[in-house]
């Protein structure tokens, strides 16, 4: 699991030790938020990133089918860390991504946002913006909360407002750019799209789980399995190490400031280099009648 | 294209004939709405259906990870025809789909809807509903328009309302079931998810385009290429026939009433049998760095 799960692991382990039960507790990381401390990246992140980047590229091409103006605001999960929203930069790296990317690591400035959007839209008649659900203004107020304020302005807009962050921004852009705008939330899809998982991620995740069980059997406790990145012959290699649960529990790892461009509207090549090896390869679920076949686990009682 | 494009084809052809220009006009169908008259199905539909059905299955499994109550309303494209929303029935056929499916072919009754939802939710604590964006009540009013009415009830809900059809229904269910609800719009994703196209669809679409060009070169005009379904050795076969544009233009083909269950809340086996062969096979785009590589057409001037 994520931060909360590691905290729970840690508490259970401490409780067991205090009450004199021998119990080995190992944390197995898993979060599309990618914000766990002590690991290069988290199982699940790369698959979600691959899905978000691919879908963003597809939306980009959809937007260019017609010669009409097109404004799209994409909302990606991430309350405090912008890792998953950052993955839309992979689409931009391929020439088919958002014009602007806003992460919760950077204070959101509505005036600058509108200026940036106008500049791009006036040039091409097209605009794609990607935002983390958790972006906040300088007072720490979520942009999604602007919705209820805007609701009181109902008349000037013609209809009531409601956040979603993307919906709030799409409504503001509609007024500012005087054109139709569209908010797209990746919603649950971004965390469950098993049909487009990264083969690298799936393999690493499997190994991480295996290591955790091995370690517990061998007598280790109070640790989380973590990924450590290295290179061999210029190629990405993932190593498996252990991190003390005390260090991991309840610490959030944000996207480094130096991986975000100066204006706070995109990612640098450092992020691209970080993410590309992780999304490599396609893990295809078994198909049946043109649809994925999901494994059904049979519950078997353990022998005593 | 769809209905409008076929109408345009027809008008251009008639105009050319009237003004004495020899010009052959062939319609090539293409619409995820699947509502063109004179053809068994439309290029594009099966790929969108495959994506919607697969994503619905994934959402179903996501919803069952936790033991908490879960209410999800999925919104699928389709203003007047429910073909694409019907594809969520393929997920249900696989045991991982919506409990209730509402198409625009059937008058939407809010009271019955709430009763149906309560019954299912009280039994399992889980509820997935799929709706077409275009569902209407007995007065022909779009359910998405209920949003602005509900906005005036702002206080009792605690926040302002806004449609999306799914959002309107999710807000109503939140109040009725007294639990968190979630609206998911497949939005643009459902019409551009090339990464999960049906191989059958892609092959048929290619052939349809080829036939249209061949026919035009051979002197045919004023027709649309259409699909005709037949069987050989118990297996689905697609034949290519021509339909007069006059017949196709501006006629919408709805989902037959007898393919929708009596209560108007799901599809019958007839629809499943219709759709399954169409979504067969996976058309995989070429990948590069773990992301799809889109073809770039080079513009070359024709020799005179």
């Amino acid at each position: 699991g994520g931060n909360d799960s590691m905290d729970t692991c840690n508490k259970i382990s401490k409780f067991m030790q205090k009450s004199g039960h021998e119990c080995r507790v190992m944390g197995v990381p898993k979060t599309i938020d990618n914000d766990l401390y002590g690991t290069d990246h988290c199982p699940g992140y790369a698959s979600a990133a691959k899905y978000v980047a691919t879908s963003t590229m597809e939306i980009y091409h959809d937007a260019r089918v017609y010669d009409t103006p097109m404004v799209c605001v994409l909302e990606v999960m991430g309350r405090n860390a912008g890792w998953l929203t950052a993955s839309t930069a992979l689409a931009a790296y391929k020439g088919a991504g958002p014009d602007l990317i806003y992460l919760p690591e950077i204070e959101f400035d509505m005036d600058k946002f509108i200026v940036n959007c106008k500049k791009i839209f006036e040039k091409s008649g097209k605009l794609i913006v990607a935002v983390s659900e958790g972006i906040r203004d300088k007072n720490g107020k979520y942009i999604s909360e602007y919705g209820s304020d805007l609701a009181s302005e109902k008349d000037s807009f013609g209809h009531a407002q409601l956040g979603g962050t993307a919906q709030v921004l799409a409504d503001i852009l509609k007024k500012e750019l005087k054109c139709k705008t569209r908010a797209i939330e990746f919603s649950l899809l971004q965390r469950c799209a098993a049909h487009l998982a990264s083969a690298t991620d799936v393999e690493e995740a499997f190994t991480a789980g295996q290591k955790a069980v091995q370690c517990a059997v061998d007598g280790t406790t109070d640790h989380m399995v973590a990924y450590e990145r290295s290179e061999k012959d210029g190629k990405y290699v993932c190593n498996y190490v252990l991190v003390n649960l005390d260090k991991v529990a309840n610490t959030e790892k944000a996207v480094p400031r130096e991986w975000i461009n100066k204006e706070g509207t995109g990612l640098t090549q450092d992020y691209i280099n970080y993410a590309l090896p992780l999304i490599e390869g396609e893990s295809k679920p078994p198909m049946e009648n043109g649809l994925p076949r999901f494994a059904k686990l049979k519950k078997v009682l353990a022998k005593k």
Side-chain angles (χ1 to χ4, degrees), chain A residues 126-148:
Chain A
K126 308 276 184 194
L127 173 67
I128 301 181
V129 181
V131 298
S132 288
E133 57 177 337
I135 49 170
R136 273 156 297 206
D137 66 18
K138 64 169 190 262
N139 302 315
K141 181 175 176 174
Y142 285 109
I143 302 309
S144 58
E145 292 176 44
Y146 280 49
S148 25

Side-chain angles (χ1 to χ4, degrees), chain A residues 279-298:
Chain A
I279 63 165
E280 196 62 60
E282 288 71 54
S283 156
K284 283 147 197 157
M287 303 292 279
E288 203 175 61
N289 300 127
L291 293 170
R293 190 172 61 75
F294 291 91
K296 277 177 200 150
L297 298 180
K298 195 173 155 189

Side-chain angles (χ1 to χ4, degrees), chain A residues 109-156:
Chain A
D109 182 322
M110 190 65 84
D111 295 331
K112 278 191 194 162
F113 166 75
I114 293 171
V115 169
N116 286 336
C117 287
K118 277 190 176 165
K119 212 183 290 174
I120 292 158
F121 182 71
E122 276 160 19
K123 209 178 279 178
S124 65
K126 308 276 184 194
L127 173 67
I128 301 181
V129 181
V131 298
S132 288
E133 57 177 337
I135 49 170
R136 273 156 297 206
D137 66 18
K138 64 169 190 262
N139 302 315
K141 181 175 176 174
Y142 285 109
I143 302 309
S144 58
E145 292 176 44
Y146 280 49
S148 25
D149 301 355
L150 290 167
S152 58
E153 290 183 42
K154 201 186 140 200
D155 287 340
S156 68

Side-chain angles (χ1 to χ4, degrees), chain A residues 6 11 25 28 39 54 62 75-76 83 99 102 113 170 192 222 241 250 259 288 298:
Chain A
M6 293 311 140
K11 281 177 180 156
V25 180
V28 191
T39 184
T54 300
D62 186 284
E75 180 173 331
V76 186
W83 289 106
D99 301 288
Y102 294 95
F113 166 75
C192 66
D222 283 26
V241 295
N250 291 319
W259 288 11
E288 203 175 61
K298 195 173 155 189

Side-chain angles (χ1 to χ4, degrees), chain A residues 18-302:
Chain A
K18 216 175 114 185
S19 33
H21 287 86
E22 200 210 334
C23 180
R24 297 163 199 165
V25 180
M26 291 293 299
V28 191
K30 178 234 69 183
T31 170
I32 60 162
D33 290 338
N34 201 40
D35 60 349
L36 277 169
Y37 174 84
T39 184
D40 178 76
H41 55 286
C42 301
Y45 171 63
S47 293
K50 188 184 182 84
Y51 174 80
V52 168
T54 300
S55 299
T56 301
M57 291 178 79
E58 291 170 342
I59 289 169
Y60 174 95
H61 285 293
D62 186 284
R64 267 144 189 92
V65 169
Y66 301 105
D67 272 340
T68 46
M70 208 284 304
V71 176
C72 240
V73 184
L74 313 179
E75 180 173 331
V76 186
M77 281 181 175
R79 221 53 192 155
N80 298 312
W83 289 106
L84 195 51
T85 309
S87 72
T88 60
L90 295 167
Y93 169 70
K94 288 286 181 187
D99 301 288
L100 301 164
I101 302 172
Y102 294 95
L103 311 187
E105 280 82 355
I106 305 283
E107 229 175 71
F108 186 82
D109 182 322
M110 190 65 84
D111 295 331
K112 278 191 194 162
F113 166 75
I114 293 171
V115 169
N116 286 336
C117 287
K118 277 190 176 165
K119 212 183 290 174
I120 292 158
F121 182 71
E122 276 160 19
K123 209 178 279 178
S124 65
K126 308 276 184 194
L127 173 67
I128 301 181
V129 181
V131 298
S132 288
E133 57 177 337
I135 49 170
R136 273 156 297 206
D137 66 18
K138 64 169 190 262
N139 302 315
K141 181 175 176 174
Y142 285 109
I143 302 309
S144 58
E145 292 176 44
Y146 280 49
S148 25
D149 301 355
L150 290 167
S152 58
E153 290 183 42
K154 201 186 140 200
D155 287 340
S156 68
F157 283 84
H159 61 74
Q161 308 290 320
L162 175 79
T165 311
Q167 190 62 57
V168 167
L169 294 176
D171 284 337
I172 289 173
L173 289 179
K174 185 183 175 182
K175 195 183 151 205
E176 294 288 341
L177 305 177
K178 295 175 186 62
C179 80
K180 203 187 144 194
T181 63
R182 197 188 276 266
I184 300 180
E185 276 187 57
F186 287 114
S187 191
L188 290 188
L189 299 165
Q190 65 199 299
R191 78 175 188 204
C192 66
H195 71 271
L196 194 64
S198 149
T200 304
D201 181 34
V202 170
E203 199 194 305
E204 290 176 355
F206 186 84
T207 310
Q210 205 176 36
K211 296 272 174 198
V213 174
Q214 274 172 356
C215 287
V217 171
D218 294 348
T220 309
T221 187
D222 283 26
H223 282 76
M224 180 186 84
V225 175
Y227 295 160
E228 196 178 69
R229 179 188 302 239
S230 67
E231 265 194 21
K232 202 183 165 183
D233 306 328
K235 275 190 186 160
Y236 161 86
V237 176
C238 182
N239 305 307
Y240 302 84
V241 295
L242 297 182
V243 191
N244 200 300
L245 277 177
D246 271 333
K247 287 198 180 166
V248 181
N250 291 319
T251 314
E252 281 177 340
K253 189 176 75 174
V255 177
R257 181 59 187 93
E258 58 273 24
W259 288 11
I260 305 171
N261 70 14
K262 212 180 130 197
E263 304 76 28
T265 59
L267 280 292
T268 67
Q269 187 61 33
D270 284 331
Y271 170 76
I272 305 294
N273 297 342
Y274 166 83
L276 277 181
L278 310 182
I279 63 165
E280 196 62 60
E282 288 71 54
S283 156
K284 283 147 197 157
M287 303 292 279
E288 203 175 61
N289 300 127
L291 293 170
R293 190 172 61 75
F294 291 91
K296 277 177 200 150
L297 298 180
K298 195 173 155 189
K299 288 181 186 174
V300 182
L301 287 175

